[in-house]
Amino acid sequence: MSLGPHALALFASSFCVALLMTLSGIQKSLLGWKNRRRYCQSCGRQLRSGCTCR
């Protein structure tokens, strides 16, 4: 199965647009890889594996 030049151009342009939108979202901090810290609601300590205060 061979892709025609129009289908290949459509795929390439769609991929580039998606890549640019993702990069701009990361730059604006709308999208990001955040390692949020979790805290226990009762004692206020940072949770790593589990809370033993209960």
Side-chain angles (χ1 to χ4, degrees), residues 12-37:
S13 63
S14 298
F15 179 76
C16 289
V17 167
L19 181 66
L20 289 174
M21 288 177 70
T22 303
L23 291 176
S24 67
I26 290 171
Q27 183 179 3
K28 290 182 178 182
S29 298
L30 297 174
L31 300 173
W33 298 283
K34 296 179 182 175
N35 294 328
R36 294 187 179 219
R37 294 181 181 160

